[in-house]
Amino acid sequence: MDILIETPRLLMREFCLDDVDAVFEFSTNPDVMRYTGDVGTINTKKDAENLIVNCWQAEYKKYGYSRYALIHKEDDKVIGFCGVKYEPDLNCPDIGYRMLPEYWGNGLATEAVKPL
């Protein structure tokens, strides 16, 4: 997959079905999901697959953007997402990010959002 954004420690690209395990991992982590509006929507790997296909990939096609896989270069691991999501109820885009707690507190969210 094509890398869309690269920072000193991160890569961002569109999500693909190979990312199901990673999406399931960060989407079922209670610390990651604590303050989100969609807690409990991902309960199975099939739910994670549906999120990738029916939400993010559909939005790439419809709007040209959505949430992107956030890859930690040192680990070569998808650790969460960062990206813009169109919010129809608000009629505007929303910048959001999530990442696994072991990557918190190192400035990675700021590093990801700035070039976004």
Side-chain angles (χ1 to χ4, degrees), residues 25-109:
E25 182 181 6
F26 67 74
S27 296
T28 58
N29 183 298
D31 291 327
V32 172
M33 300 303 291
R34 180 171 290 131
Y35 302 109
T36 69
D38 57 353
V39 66
T41 58
I42 305 297
N43 297 300
T44 66
K45 289 189 180 178
K46 185 66 174 172
D47 293 338
E49 180 180 316
N50 287 334
L51 177 63
I52 292 168
V53 173
N54 298 321
C55 184
W56 296 330
Q57 289 182 345
E59 289 173 351
Y60 301 146
K61 290 177 185 162
K62 185 173 183 175
Y63 302 115
Y65 60 85
S66 188
R67 308 298 196 201
Y68 297 121
L70 190 59
I71 303 158
H72 192 254
K73 287 166 120 177
E74 185 176 318
D75 303 349
D76 193 32
K77 177 179 178 171
V78 175
I79 63 168
F81 71 63
C82 185
V84 179
K85 176 177 175 49
Y86 183 74
E87 292 291 348
D89 294 342
L90 302 174
N91 195 31
C92 67
D94 168 67
I95 294 176
Y97 60 87
R98 293 184 189 158
M99 69 180 71
L100 293 168
E102 56 266 36
Y103 297 91
W104 294 358
N106 297 306
L108 291 173

